[in-house]
Amino acid sequence: KRVIVTGASTGIGEQIAYHLARMGAHLVVTARTEAKLKKVISECLKLGAASAHFIPGTMEDLVFAEQVVTKAGKLMGGLDMLILNHIAPVNLRFFNGDVASIRKVMDINFFSYITMTSAALPMLKVTNGSIVVVSSIAGKLITPLIADYSAAKFALDGFYSSLQKELQLMNVNISITLCILGFINTDSAVKSLSGIVENITPSPKEECAVEIIKGGALRQKVIAYPSSIYISMWNPIRTIQEYFILLTYNIDNITRNQQFS
Ligand SMILES: NC(=O)C1=CN([C@@H]2O[C@H](COP(=O)(O)OP(=O)(O)OC[C@H]3O[C@@H](n4cnc5c(N)ncnc54)[C@H](OP(=O)(O)O)[C@@H]3O)[C@@H](O)[C@H]2O)C=CC1
Ligand SMILES: C[C@H](CCC(=O)O)[C@H]1CC[C@H]2[C@@H]3C(=O)C[C@@H]4C[C@H](O)CC[C@]4(C)[C@H]3CC[C@]12C
């Protein structure tokens, strides 16, 4: 399979790249730090990747986000899976009125995801491919000190859950997997939560990466890791309401008058 992994220089993204390499995938990895990406691709080749390339740059630049997809498509001769995982470094703090910094986080954590998705859709249509979106329990529940991060994760949930339904209505065979994660033992998460969140043991990033890949490969709509967080996501009233809202839509009219881009 030909796969793009974002935020792959460290943490969960790095582990996803290693697992895919063991499965013999063609890989394009991206993040900002070139030196770390070089190490990741050399490890991927040792582990058995069919090919491994890196494209360094910042997802704050939406032109770069689009170029990663087009360049990766050329390098690998197509695309089967897009794994969107990167995030801007997280500062746990009270909202201080700095709107510019929220906009920056939204560009990196949300708009770059949409930009890459839009650039990848034509290639994924050809391969009946998959989009995997790495999100968080902080995109389902409310916690303080991460208003910017949480806003972006809620936005991802709204956008991709709606897109899932549109693809289904238009009979487009591209799967979207939303990955809802609890606390994972990446260096950055452990460091930024130290002294702030206590009495929670983080789950291992290696196992987390496997669950993310499995969810994408099995074309699941949503996965939760660790599985204990499923309970916090259980909302049967919402599911029933969504079903009834969809019944009120005149699907024939919509599909006759509109084309999926
Ligand atoms: N760890 C946790 O507890 C949890 C994590 N998650 C989710 O899992 C995913 C991965 O998290 P985790 O592995 O902990 O994150 P890390 O902080 O370990 O890794 C983040 C990755 O994103 C890259 N990155 C940071 N800024 C930019 C930028 N401006 N442009 C492009 N790439 C960037 C980093 O590389 P570089 O600095 O080189 O650019 C790095 O590769 C995220 O989507 C996160 O929301 C969800 C819930 C819990
Ligand atoms: C405190 C939450 C765990 C609750 C539980 O009972 O398990 C954490 C679950 C997810 C965490 C946030 C997250 O999504 C990842 C970010 C990673 C950063 O590096 C650190 C801060 C996070 C916003 C992190 C904060 C705690 C959680 C909400």
Side-chain angles (χ1 to χ4, degrees), residues 6-13 30-33 36 57-60 84-89 108 113 134-137 149 153 181-189:
T6 72
S9 64
T10 184
I12 298 166
T30 180
R32 290 169 307 173
T33 320
K36 286 189 193 168
T58 176
M59 291 292 172
E60 202 181 331
L84 297 164
N85 163 77
H86 62 276
I87 44 162
I108 298 169
Y113 279 47
V134 181
S135 191
S136 165
I137 193 68
Y149 175 89
K153 292 302 193 190
L181 308 182
F183 184 21
I184 311 297
N185 70 354
T186 61
D187 294 346
S188 63

Side-chain angles (χ1 to χ4, degrees), residues 195-209:
I196 298 178
V197 175
E198 284 161 359
N199 302 322
I200 315 174
T201 311
S203 304
K205 59 188 176 192
E206 297 80 3
E207 189 180 63
C208 176

Side-chain angles (χ1 to χ4, degrees), residues 174-240:
I174 297 174
S175 68
I176 297 181
T177 303
L178 261 171
C179 305
I180 312 300
L181 308 182
F183 184 21
I184 311 297
N185 70 354
T186 61
D187 294 346
S188 63
V190 171
K191 202 170 145 204
S192 45
L193 291 186
S194 141
I196 298 178
V197 175
E198 284 161 359
N199 302 322
I200 315 174
T201 311
S203 304
K205 59 188 176 192
E206 297 80 3
E207 189 180 63
C208 176
V210 173
E211 292 306 314
I212 290 170
I213 296 168
K214 258 206 269 178
L218 297 174
R219 304 175 85 81
Q220 283 178 278
K221 286 200 164 87
V222 62
I223 67 128
Y225 179 84
S227 52
S228 55
I229 66 167
Y230 263 116
I231 188 73
S232 341
M233 291 158 49
W234 194 60
N235 190 344
I237 305 289
R238 173 183 150 169
T239 313
I240 293 165

Side-chain angles (χ1 to χ4, degrees), residues 6-261:
T6 72
S9 64
T10 184
I12 298 166
E14 179 185 4
Q15 298 305 319
I16 292 175
Y18 295 156
H19 283 300
L20 290 167
R22 287 186 198 101
M23 295 170 191
H26 292 274
L27 288 168
V28 170
V29 296
T30 180
R32 290 169 307 173
T33 320
E34 194 166 334
K36 286 189 193 168
L37 289 175
K38 274 187 185 155
K39 281 192 189 152
V40 171
I41 61 156
S42 102
E43 186 62 23
C44 285
L45 291 169
K46 276 189 218 151
L47 290 171
S51 69
H53 295 92
F54 69 94
I55 306 178
T58 176
M59 291 292 172
E60 202 181 331
D61 175 0
L62 300 182
V63 176
F64 169 76
E66 187 178 349
Q67 282 172 352
V68 170
V69 176
T70 44
K71 281 186 190 165
K74 282 186 188 135
L75 283 167
M76 298 189 287
L79 185 65
D80 296 289
M81 191 179 274
L82 172 64
I83 302 186
L84 297 164
N85 163 77
H86 62 276
I87 44 162
V90 182
N91 292 313
L92 279 96
R93 59 176 179 205
F94 290 110
F95 175 57
N96 61 4
D98 182 359
V99 178
S101 85
I102 306 269
R103 187 183 287 274
K104 182 174 164 180
V105 168
M106 288 303 281
D107 275 342
I108 298 169
N109 292 10
F110 178 66
F111 285 110
S112 70
Y113 279 47
I114 311 304
T115 304
M116 293 186 81
T117 296
S118 164
L121 280 175
M123 285 191 276
L124 294 174
K125 267 191 202 167
V126 174
T127 57
N128 292 333
S130 306
I131 301 169
V132 176
V133 180
V134 181
S135 191
S136 165
I137 193 68
K140 292 276 186 192
L141 307 177
I142 309 301
T143 59
L145 306 182
I146 47 170
D148 49 1
Y149 175 89
S150 193
K153 292 302 193 190
F154 269 84
L156 287 175
D157 195 305
F159 181 85
Y160 285 98
S161 302
S162 180
L163 186 61
Q164 256 172 2
K165 291 214 189 297
E166 290 182 15
L167 292 170
Q168 204 178 321
L169 288 177
M170 303 307 274
N171 288 318
V172 177
N173 191 11
I174 297 174
S175 68
I176 297 181
T177 303
L178 261 171
C179 305
I180 312 300
L181 308 182
F183 184 21
I184 311 297
N185 70 354
T186 61
D187 294 346
S188 63
V190 171
K191 202 170 145 204
S192 45
L193 291 186
S194 141
I196 298 178
V197 175
E198 284 161 359
N199 302 322
I200 315 174
T201 311
S203 304
K205 59 188 176 192
E206 297 80 3
E207 189 180 63
C208 176
V210 173
E211 292 306 314
I212 290 170
I213 296 168
K214 258 206 269 178
L218 297 174
R219 304 175 85 81
Q220 283 178 278
K221 286 200 164 87
V222 62
I223 67 128
Y225 179 84
S227 52
S228 55
I229 66 167
Y230 263 116
I231 188 73
S232 341
M233 291 158 49
W234 194 60
N235 190 344
I237 305 289
R238 173 183 150 169
T239 313
I240 293 165
Q241 273 186 327
E242 283 173 356
Y243 173 78
F244 282 109
I245 288 171
L246 205 54
L247 286 185
T248 66
Y249 278 59
N250 186 334
I251 305 299
D252 287 343
N253 237 348
I254 300 165
T255 48
R256 213 179 8 255
N257 297 328
Q258 287 191 37
Q259 248 206 320
F260 190 80
S261 66

